[in-house]
Amino acid sequence: MDLELPLWFEIGSLVVLTLILVADLLIILKRPHIPSTRESTLWVVFYVTLALIFAGLMWIFAGGEYAGQFVAGWLTEYSLSIDNLFVFVLIMTQFSVPRRYQQEVLMVGIIIALVLRGLFILAGAAIIEQFSWVFYIFGAFLVWTAWRQAFPGGDHDSDVKQENFIVRLLRRTIDISEEYDGAKIRTVVDGKKMFTPMIIVFVAIGVTDLLFAIDSIPAIFGITTSPFIVFTANLFALMGLRQLYFLLGDLLDRLRYLHYGIAFILAFIGVKLVLHAMHENELPFINGGQHIEWAPVISTWVSLGVIVASMGVATIASLIASRRERLALAPDAASATGSGLEAGTGPTARTEAAAAVVADEKGTPPTVDQPPAPSDR
């Protein structure tokens, strides 16, 4: 049965959410600053509460099944979006983006992600409607992605060269200044108009968002085939990402087992997609083109339970391991205070190391060269 919602609800929801995003962006542009922990917490709570209210409205207008699909899809995209944060940390650090302007960079990244994911959703919905066997491909892709997530170390040279090529091409095509000029993309140096390094930061963010969209969209289509639910789940997951970036801060480096939880979720959804494809099978060379009736159908609520349990176990295990490590290092804390900073073992260094691992898993280069000085061009 297809999702049937009042047209006014769908249009009204998208209008309200768009206005909230625009208002959020205007606040950042008007008052660039480093948000406090309290401010970030309130915003994250606000967006989470908003998502739960939306799920409640979905329950009223469409029933519990579709409300469950939204919650499961939102949690899946939210957990995958935390992966984005690791790479965002890396990009911000590599390009030395001033912290007070990082909010604007993140907001631009979120807008780019929404546009890219919207295009992927439209394409995915059209393909699924015409070719049900595409679930076999989606499922296999997610299982492969889960393996790569859990056991990184594959050869990403081609992806690295591709992004480096994009950045090098940008640098050779346009003039880029050596210094930032606030959050501006354009500046004037010695009477000459030039782009600032911010333009390359946006390119790096955009390419990263594209890579993450390739993983996340097949995953949520394994939970629901409703384009409206898919898009709103992505929208709610991305809306609180900027505040979550500042709220988590150095906590990111402590979530060492998070990638295992994400990998398990991707593998589970991949298997679910393959089973769904088998149950709806129409390929003539599989079971004579007949449905495979013994293939089980995994319910939305089972999926939701697996997603919550996976992220909960991964987070709790990470925090326990991190606490044990800190207790074990406590006797040497005094001597490590001086030498640890020199050796690059502080929280920031560990966060960058964790970000580099995620970047490698996603095929995103851990470093992208800074714009050269004008004399080197």
PDB file of all heavy atoms in Angstrom, residues 41-56:
ATOM      1  N   THR A  41      23.321  22.380  22.503  1.00  0.00           N
ATOM      2  CA  THR A  41      22.429  21.372  23.090  1.00  0.00           C
ATOM      3  C   THR A  41      20.966  21.720  22.847  1.00  0.00           C
ATOM      4  O   THR A  41      20.160  20.855  22.467  1.00  0.00           O
ATOM      5  CB  THR A  41      22.692  21.241  24.600  1.00  0.00           C
ATOM      6  OG1 THR A  41      24.056  20.876  24.815  1.00  0.00           O
ATOM      7  CG2 THR A  41      21.785  20.179  25.212  1.00  0.00           C
ATOM      8  N   LEU A  42      20.616  22.982  23.063  1.00  0.00           N
ATOM      9  CA  LEU A  42      19.226  23.411  22.873  1.00  0.00           C
ATOM     10  C   LEU A  42      18.785  23.224  21.420  1.00  0.00           C
ATOM     11  O   LEU A  42      17.654  22.787  21.155  1.00  0.00           O
ATOM     12  CB  LEU A  42      19.069  24.875  23.294  1.00  0.00           C
ATOM     13  CG  LEU A  42      19.166  25.151  24.792  1.00  0.00           C
ATOM     14  CD1 LEU A  42      19.106  26.656  25.066  1.00  0.00           C
ATOM     15  CD2 LEU A  42      18.040  24.428  25.549  1.00  0.00           C
ATOM     16  N   TRP A  43      19.673  23.557  20.475  1.00  0.00           N
ATOM     17  CA  TRP A  43      19.319  23.380  19.069  1.00  0.00           C
ATOM     18  C   TRP A  43      19.151  21.907  18.706  1.00  0.00           C
ATOM     19  O   TRP A  43      18.224  21.535  17.984  1.00  0.00           O
ATOM     20  CB  TRP A  43      20.385  24.017  18.176  1.00  0.00           C
ATOM     21  CG  TRP A  43      20.190  25.475  17.922  1.00  0.00           C
ATOM     22  CD1 TRP A  43      20.895  26.516  18.442  1.00  0.00           C
ATOM     23  CD2 TRP A  43      19.190  26.063  17.066  1.00  0.00           C
ATOM     24  NE1 TRP A  43      20.411  27.711  17.980  1.00  0.00           N
ATOM     25  CE2 TRP A  43      19.364  27.464  17.128  1.00  0.00           C
ATOM     26  CE3 TRP A  43      18.182  25.549  16.264  1.00  0.00           C
ATOM     27  CZ2 TRP A  43      18.564  28.352  16.416  1.00  0.00           C
ATOM     28  CZ3 TRP A  43      17.372  26.435  15.548  1.00  0.00           C
ATOM     29  CH2 TRP A  43      17.570  27.807  15.628  1.00  0.00           C
ATOM     30  N   VAL A  44      20.057  21.055  19.189  1.00  0.00           N
ATOM     31  CA  VAL A  44      19.947  19.620  18.902  1.00  0.00           C
ATOM     32  C   VAL A  44      18.660  19.063  19.490  1.00  0.00           C
ATOM     33  O   VAL A  44      17.930  18.302  18.835  1.00  0.00           O
ATOM     34  CB  VAL A  44      21.177  18.859  19.455  1.00  0.00           C
ATOM     35  CG1 VAL A  44      20.950  17.353  19.368  1.00  0.00           C
ATOM     36  CG2 VAL A  44      22.437  19.236  18.672  1.00  0.00           C
ATOM     37  N   VAL A  45      18.360  19.441  20.731  1.00  0.00           N
ATOM     38  CA  VAL A  45      17.107  18.993  21.371  1.00  0.00           C
ATOM     39  C   VAL A  45      15.906  19.490  20.574  1.00  0.00           C
ATOM     40  O   VAL A  45      14.919  18.760  20.393  1.00  0.00           O
ATOM     41  CB  VAL A  45      17.047  19.493  22.830  1.00  0.00           C
ATOM     42  CG1 VAL A  45      15.663  19.251  23.418  1.00  0.00           C
ATOM     43  CG2 VAL A  45      18.103  18.791  23.681  1.00  0.00           C
ATOM     44  N   PHE A  46      15.976  20.734  20.097  1.00  0.00           N
ATOM     45  CA  PHE A  46      14.875  21.305  19.317  1.00  0.00           C
ATOM     46  C   PHE A  46      14.617  20.488  18.050  1.00  0.00           C
ATOM     47  O   PHE A  46      13.467  20.125  17.752  1.00  0.00           O
ATOM     48  CB  PHE A  46      15.200  22.753  18.946  1.00  0.00           C
ATOM     49  CG  PHE A  46      14.269  23.343  17.907  1.00  0.00           C
ATOM     50  CD1 PHE A  46      12.973  23.693  18.234  1.00  0.00           C
ATOM     51  CD2 PHE A  46      14.706  23.527  16.591  1.00  0.00           C
ATOM     52  CE1 PHE A  46      12.111  24.224  17.279  1.00  0.00           C
ATOM     53  CE2 PHE A  46      13.859  24.061  15.634  1.00  0.00           C
ATOM     54  CZ  PHE A  46      12.561  24.413  15.968  1.00  0.00           C
ATOM     55  N   TYR A  47      15.683  20.165  17.305  1.00  0.00           N
ATOM     56  CA  TYR A  47      15.514  19.427  16.054  1.00  0.00           C
ATOM     57  C   TYR A  47      15.082  17.979  16.295  1.00  0.00           C
ATOM     58  O   TYR A  47      14.287  17.423  15.528  1.00  0.00           O
ATOM     59  CB  TYR A  47      16.806  19.456  15.238  1.00  0.00           C
ATOM     60  CG  TYR A  47      17.017  20.763  14.506  1.00  0.00           C
ATOM     61  CD1 TYR A  47      18.169  21.514  14.675  1.00  0.00           C
ATOM     62  CD2 TYR A  47      16.046  21.250  13.636  1.00  0.00           C
ATOM     63  CE1 TYR A  47      18.354  22.710  14.000  1.00  0.00           C
ATOM     64  CE2 TYR A  47      16.222  22.442  12.965  1.00  0.00           C
ATOM     65  CZ  TYR A  47      17.380  23.167  13.142  1.00  0.00           C
ATOM     66  OH  TYR A  47      17.550  24.355  12.480  1.00  0.00           O
ATOM     67  N   VAL A  48      15.595  17.359  17.352  1.00  0.00           N
ATOM     68  CA  VAL A  48      15.174  15.989  17.687  1.00  0.00           C
ATOM     69  C   VAL A  48      13.697  15.990  18.082  1.00  0.00           C
ATOM     70  O   VAL A  48      12.918  15.124  17.647  1.00  0.00           O
ATOM     71  CB  VAL A  48      16.045  15.413  18.820  1.00  0.00           C
ATOM     72  CG1 VAL A  48      15.437  14.107  19.347  1.00  0.00           C
ATOM     73  CG2 VAL A  48      17.468  15.163  18.323  1.00  0.00           C
ATOM     74  N   THR A  49      13.299  16.959  18.902  1.00  0.00           N
ATOM     75  CA  THR A  49      11.893  17.068  19.301  1.00  0.00           C
ATOM     76  C   THR A  49      11.003  17.312  18.086  1.00  0.00           C
ATOM     77  O   THR A  49       9.917  16.729  17.962  1.00  0.00           O
ATOM     78  CB  THR A  49      11.714  18.212  20.316  1.00  0.00           C
ATOM     79  OG1 THR A  49      12.558  17.981  21.452  1.00  0.00           O
ATOM     80  CG2 THR A  49      10.257  18.291  20.772  1.00  0.00           C
ATOM     81  N   LEU A  50      11.474  18.160  17.178  1.00  0.00           N
ATOM     82  CA  LEU A  50      10.716  18.447  15.963  1.00  0.00           C
ATOM     83  C   LEU A  50      10.516  17.182  15.136  1.00  0.00           C
ATOM     84  O   LEU A  50       9.424  16.928  14.584  1.00  0.00           O
ATOM     85  CB  LEU A  50      11.446  19.510  15.141  1.00  0.00           C
ATOM     86  CG  LEU A  50      10.659  20.216  14.029  1.00  0.00           C
ATOM     87  CD1 LEU A  50       9.493  21.008  14.621  1.00  0.00           C
ATOM     88  CD2 LEU A  50      11.579  21.137  13.234  1.00  0.00           C
ATOM     89  N   ALA A  51      11.563  16.365  15.047  1.00  0.00           N
ATOM     90  CA  ALA A  51      11.460  15.110  14.297  1.00  0.00           C
ATOM     91  C   ALA A  51      10.462  14.161  14.944  1.00  0.00           C
ATOM     92  O   ALA A  51       9.676  13.487  14.255  1.00  0.00           O
ATOM     93  CB  ALA A  51      12.838  14.442  14.204  1.00  0.00           C
ATOM     94  N   LEU A  52      10.469  14.097  16.280  1.00  0.00           N
ATOM     95  CA  LEU A  52       9.529  13.214  16.981  1.00  0.00           C
ATOM     96  C   LEU A  52       8.090  13.716  16.836  1.00  0.00           C
ATOM     97  O   LEU A  52       7.155  12.905  16.713  1.00  0.00           O
ATOM     98  CB  LEU A  52       9.919  13.116  18.459  1.00  0.00           C
ATOM     99  CG  LEU A  52      11.272  12.438  18.729  1.00  0.00           C
ATOM    100  CD1 LEU A  52      11.590  12.462  20.225  1.00  0.00           C
ATOM    101  CD2 LEU A  52      11.279  11.001  18.210  1.00  0.00           C
ATOM    102  N   ILE A  53       7.899  15.037  16.851  1.00  0.00           N
ATOM    103  CA  ILE A  53       6.560  15.593  16.615  1.00  0.00           C
ATOM    104  C   ILE A  53       6.088  15.242  15.213  1.00  0.00           C
ATOM    105  O   ILE A  53       4.916  14.866  15.006  1.00  0.00           O
ATOM    106  CB  ILE A  53       6.570  17.127  16.817  1.00  0.00           C
ATOM    107  CG1 ILE A  53       6.795  17.462  18.289  1.00  0.00           C
ATOM    108  CG2 ILE A  53       5.263  17.749  16.324  1.00  0.00           C
ATOM    109  CD1 ILE A  53       6.977  18.952  18.556  1.00  0.00           C
ATOM    110  N   PHE A  54       6.996  15.358  14.243  1.00  0.00           N
ATOM    111  CA  PHE A  54       6.651  15.007  12.867  1.00  0.00           C
ATOM    112  C   PHE A  54       6.270  13.533  12.775  1.00  0.00           C
ATOM    113  O   PHE A  54       5.314  13.176  12.067  1.00  0.00           O
ATOM    114  CB  PHE A  54       7.841  15.307  11.948  1.00  0.00           C
ATOM    115  CG  PHE A  54       7.562  15.078  10.494  1.00  0.00           C
ATOM    116  CD1 PHE A  54       6.895  16.040   9.739  1.00  0.00           C
ATOM    117  CD2 PHE A  54       7.960  13.909   9.870  1.00  0.00           C
ATOM    118  CE1 PHE A  54       6.629  15.832   8.390  1.00  0.00           C
ATOM    119  CE2 PHE A  54       7.705  13.690   8.525  1.00  0.00           C
ATOM    120  CZ  PHE A  54       7.039  14.652   7.786  1.00  0.00           C
ATOM    121  N   ALA A  55       7.004  12.672  13.493  1.00  0.00           N
ATOM    122  CA  ALA A  55       6.672  11.238  13.502  1.00  0.00           C
ATOM    123  C   ALA A  55       5.281  11.026  14.095  1.00  0.00           C
ATOM    124  O   ALA A  55       4.508  10.182  13.609  1.00  0.00           O
ATOM    125  CB  ALA A  55       7.717  10.464  14.298  1.00  0.00           C
ATOM    126  N   GLY A  56       4.951  11.792  15.144  1.00  0.00           N
ATOM    127  CA  GLY A  56       3.616  11.687  15.733  1.00  0.00           C
ATOM    128  C   GLY A  56       2.530  12.093  14.760  1.00  0.00           C
ATOM    129  O   GLY A  56       1.469  11.446  14.683  1.00  0.00           O
TER     130      GLY A  56
END
